């Protein structure tokens, strides 16, 4: 690919959808601009796919699923191929992380560290494919009952801008290892690494039609994909309202659903935990990826006995974070994805002031020398935040966090659970019993004790409430890519005629 590797280049590539193993022209009307968020410059253009484009990709996926090259592939052969794809990903890691940094503005050190983990997702799910066993179920009477699992079919996957490849691969690895096929609609802001990965996998031997990519806006192309009558499973990572719309559409065709939606992660800091370490985790959890993560440490709940010291030290830590060109290894915080997102974050700074919170750090859009048109926001901290404030209740999705005092364990849990979201939570304490009590009492799908933002391909990932349904990663995700068929075999050769001896029968079912 000829996407420019440095900010300031004027080169613009034109892309189409990736269908049937190759990139093709798609869409009608004006193309969509893809911008470098560090400079605001257009680096690529993509189509806004039409219903015909979506249908073409779906037909390609169905043909691959039903065809011999993929649908007829032996489980062991498929596992070997998925491991080969992991190797191909690893061999192309340098170009992938540089391209992703260019496209979404995440600092290059962060992007490299995140993408280097992704080949393991494919290897893990390839291992599950080899280890999979169907069940023999003890039942009453002279019967052998066993299960057969068959891949569900086409997985429609709508991925977000914040972690384009990581969130794609959490789903894609399970799709491929299970024998399913997929049509992916990446964010219109960050389609470039998804397209590149599709090409890498095709060159590594993935049969045409197994991994298709359609481009365009979420409200049009994404909506048409989610409501397509031929999908068998919908995977979506995005906002809660987008999840409601897409989930309602997919429900009409009774598709399986896995959706990771919004979050408002509470971090409970107890006074027995080292404050300096808690502050370091606070900065990491709140500002990694410019805070554009659903599990961003957005609500710090701090015990009153250490509250003032924690706030002062978090202010000092925040003010040391280096903002700048994401391609520079010295940069610690890059831009948010767009001007619209920058303005959204700044609007919440205004809400914080209006509601009576105390601005501790940040709250403005800095001008970075040489990157004056980039979408930067200073890392922002508000203190003395109350539970009824907008910045406590609503997802900001930027480098923005709040600090609220609590009295005791019960008060911490009350504040933590005062939210419609339930994706993740974190606990800082040296009291082992308390850690487990609080982990049990907080309403969410993921809990980190004395850590943050950790995931593993074997560990289930997902939320409750307005944070979504279903789980990615782990055996939970793998199993949800199959339909289960129960087979009941009569092993008794005794004569049977219900209507000859109805009165003598002792059971119907």
């Amino acid at each position: 690919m000829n996407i420019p590797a440095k900010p300031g280049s004027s080169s613009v590539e034109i892309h189409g959808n990736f269908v049937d193993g190759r990139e093709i022209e798609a869409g009608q009307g004006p193309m969509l601009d893809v911008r470098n968020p560090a400079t605001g410059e257009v680096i690529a253009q993509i189509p806004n796919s039409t219903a015909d484009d979506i249908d073409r990709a779906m037909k390609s996926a169905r043909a691959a699923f039903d065809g011999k090259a993929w649908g007829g592939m032996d489980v062991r052969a498929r596992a070997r191929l998925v491991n080969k794809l992991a190797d191909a990903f690893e061999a192309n890691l340098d170009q992938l992380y540089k391209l992703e940094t260019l496209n979404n503005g995440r600092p290059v050190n962060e992007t490299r560290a995140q993408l280097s983990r992704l080949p393991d997702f494919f290897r893990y799910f390839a291992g599950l494919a080899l280890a999979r066993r169907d069940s023999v179920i003890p039942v009453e009477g002279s019967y052998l009952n066993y299960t057969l699992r068959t891949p569900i079919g086409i997985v429609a996957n709508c991925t977000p801008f914040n972690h384009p490849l990581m969130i794609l691969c959490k789903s894609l690895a399970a799709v491929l290892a299970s024998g399913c096929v997929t049509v992916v609609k990446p964010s219109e802001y960050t389609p470039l690494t998804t397209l590149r990965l599709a090409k890498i996998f095709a060159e590594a031997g993935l049969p045409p039609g197994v991994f298709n990519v359609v481009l365009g806006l979420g409200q049009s192309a994404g909506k048409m994909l989610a409501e397509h009558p031929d999908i068998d499973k919908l995977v979506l990572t995005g906002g809660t309202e987008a999840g409601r719309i897409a989930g309602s559409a997919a429900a009409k065709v009774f598709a399986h659903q896995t959706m990771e939606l919004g979050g408002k992660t509470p971090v409970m800091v107890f006074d027995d935990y080292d404050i300096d370490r808690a502050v370091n985790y606070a900065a990491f959890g709140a500002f990694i990826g410019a805070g554009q993560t659903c599990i961003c440490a957005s609500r710090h709940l701090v015990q009153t006995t250490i509250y003032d010291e924690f706030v002062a030290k978090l202010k000092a830590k925040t003010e040391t974070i280096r903002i700048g060109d994401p391609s520079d290894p010295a940069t610690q915080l890059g831009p948010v994805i767009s001007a619209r997102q920058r303005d959204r974050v700044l609007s919440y700074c205004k809400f914080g002031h209006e509601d009576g919170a105390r601005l501790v750090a940040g709250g403005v859009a800095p001008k970075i020398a040489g990157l004056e048109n980039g979408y930067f926001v200073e890392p922002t901290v508000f203190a003395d935040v109350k539970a009824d404030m907008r910045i406590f209740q609503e997802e900001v999705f930027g480098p923005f966090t709040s600090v609220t005092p609590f009295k005791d364990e019960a008060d911490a849990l009350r504040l933590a659970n005062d939210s419609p979201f339930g994706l993740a939570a974190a606990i800082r304490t040296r009291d082992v019993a308390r850690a487990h009590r609080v982990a049990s009492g907080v309403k969410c799908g993921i809990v980190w004790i004395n850590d943050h933002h950790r995931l593993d391909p074997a560990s289930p990932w997902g939320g409750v409430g307005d944070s979504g349904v279903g789980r990615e990663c782990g055996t939970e995700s793998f199993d949800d890519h199959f339909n289960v068929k129960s087979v009941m075999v009569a092993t008794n050769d005794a004569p049977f005629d219900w209507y000859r001896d109805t009165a003598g029968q002792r059971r119907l079912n």
Side-chain angles (χ1 to χ4, degrees):
M1 298 182 73
N2 298 315
I3 296 295
K6 297 180 180 180
S9 173
S10 60
S11 176
V12 175
E13 281 208 351
I14 308 299
H15 285 287
N17 290 340
F18 193 91
V19 177
D20 236 9
R22 60 190 178 89
E23 197 168 318
I24 62 171
E25 291 186 7
Q28 298 175 352
M31 299 286 279
L32 305 175
D33 290 336
V34 177
R35 296 180 182 273
N36 175 353
T39 65
E41 292 183 329
V42 176
I43 55 175
Q45 290 188 318
I46 61 170
N48 189 20
S49 293
T50 66
D52 287 342
D53 296 322
I54 303 296
D55 196 53
R56 180 175 181 178
M58 294 295 291
K59 287 178 179 177
S60 174
R62 182 60 66 189
F65 183 72
D66 293 337
K68 184 177 180 180
W70 181 252
M73 186 180 290
D74 176 79
V75 171
R76 292 179 182 273
R78 186 184 303 118
R80 287 194 297 270
L81 176 55
V82 173
N83 277 311
K84 184 180 178 182
L85 299 181
D87 295 340
F89 190 115
E90 218 157 48
N92 288 276
L93 184 60
D94 281 2
Q95 63 169 289
L96 287 170
Y97 77 71
K98 290 173 182 175
L99 181 59
E100 186 145 303
T101 289
L102 175 71
N103 196 180
N104 82 341
R106 191 168 187 179
V108 68
N109 288 340
E110 290 184 19
T111 307
R112 182 194 297 114
Q114 184 178 79
L115 267 59
S116 66
R117 288 293 317 278
L118 301 186
D120 288 344
F121 282 76
F122 294 93
R123 294 177 179 127
Y124 170 76
F125 281 102
L128 285 187
L130 291 175
R132 191 195 85 188
R133 291 184 177 182
D134 287 308
S135 302
V136 175
I137 304 169
V139 295
E140 184 180 1
S142 300
Y143 297 95
L144 170 65
N145 184 204
Y146 63 92
T147 61
L148 293 175
R149 290 192 292 175
T150 56
I152 57 175
I154 300 177
V155 178
N157 191 356
C158 297
T159 61
F161 66 78
N162 54 341
H163 309 298
L165 279 185
M166 188 270 284
I167 290 176
L168 167 66
C169 290
K170 282 196 299 181
S171 171
L172 183 61
V175 165
L176 299 180
S178 65
C180 292
V181 296
T182 189
V183 177
V184 178
K185 207 296 288 182
S187 168
E188 59 270 25
Y189 292 110
T190 55
L192 301 184
T193 47
T194 299
L195 285 169
R196 182 60 188 147
L197 187 65
K199 184 176 180 181
I200 289 168
F201 280 6
E203 292 170 349
L206 188 65
V210 176
F211 176 14
N212 302 283
V213 182
V214 293
L215 305 172
L217 299 172
Q219 60 264 39
S220 55
K223 180 176 181 293
M224 288 185 288
L225 179 60
E227 65 188 15
H228 196 283
D230 206 28
I231 69 169
D232 298 294
K233 178 178 172 70
L234 171 67
V235 177
L236 181 144
T237 301
T240 298
E241 289 309 310
R244 286 194 175 101
I245 294 168
S248 296
K252 293 178 181 178
V253 295
F254 304 107
H256 296 234
Q257 296 186 25
T258 297
M259 293 192 286
E260 183 206 305
L261 307 177
K264 195 68 177 175
T265 299
V267 179
M268 291 163 274
V269 184
F270 290 89
D271 62 7
D272 64 339
Y273 194 75
D274 182 79
I275 293 181
D276 292 325
R277 191 168 184 176
V279 166
N280 289 338
Y281 271 125
F284 171 74
F287 305 133
I288 200 79
Q292 296 173 119
T293 66
C294 295
I295 48 82
C296 168
S298 54
R299 291 188 295 153
H300 283 89
L301 313 176
V302 182
Q303 199 154 18
T304 53
T305 47
I306 59 170
Y307 179 80
D308 290 338
E309 185 180 1
F310 178 91
V311 171
K313 288 189 172 184
L314 181 57
K315 169 184 170 64
K317 180 70 176 181
T318 300
E319 291 174 346
T320 69
I321 295 174
R322 295 188 296 273
I323 309 171
D325 178 359
S327 67
D328 182 349
T331 294
Q332 296 175 322
L333 183 73
V336 295
I337 193 64
S338 65
R340 178 183 179 183
Q341 191 63 24
R342 176 198 60 202
D343 294 345
R344 174 182 168 83
V345 177
L346 295 176
S347 74
Y348 277 93
C349 295
K350 179 183 177 182
F351 296 157
H353 286 297
E354 292 174 349
D355 292 344
R358 172 166 56 98
L359 179 64
V360 172
V364 298
K367 292 296 182 183
I368 308 299
L371 302 171
E372 288 81 5
N373 294 321
Y375 313 128
F376 294 91
V377 180
E378 286 189 356
T380 299
V381 179
F382 274 90
D384 306 341
V385 176
K386 298 179 180 178
D388 60 353
M389 293 182 180
R390 284 169 286 187
I391 62 173
F392 187 94
Q393 292 291 339
E394 298 175 14
E395 186 174 34
V396 179
F397 222 68
F400 186 108
T401 193
S402 68
V403 191
T404 300
F406 71 82
K407 296 178 182 178
D408 52 26
E409 184 179 314
D411 194 29
L413 274 172
R414 177 186 63 81
L415 289 165
N417 290 333
D418 187 0
S419 173
F421 298 110
L423 183 56
I427 304 162
R428 310 278 182 258
T429 184
R430 290 299 179 190
D431 185 326
V432 174
R434 173 195 283 153
H436 292 296
R437 284 196 306 270
V438 176
S440 177
V442 66
K443 297 176 182 177
C444 63
I446 307 160
V447 180
W448 295 289
I449 297 174
N450 300 337
D451 210 328
H452 204 96
H453 210 312
R454 306 299 178 184
L455 78 158
D456 188 274
S459 181
W461 181 280
V464 299
D466 282 5
S467 289
V469 296
R471 295 294 180 268
E472 292 183 296
C473 303
T475 57
E476 290 83 357
S477 173
F478 186 70
D479 290 345
D480 198 41
H481 286 78
F482 294 92
N483 288 318
V484 179
K485 183 184 298 181
S486 176
V487 180
M488 185 79 75
V489 182
T491 59
N492 189 340
D493 284 337
F496 173 80
D497 187 342
W498 175 272
Y499 295 104
R500 182 177 178 181
D501 187 25
T502 303
Q505 301 288 348
R506 292 291 178 264
R507 57 175 291 169
L508 179 62
N509 295 316

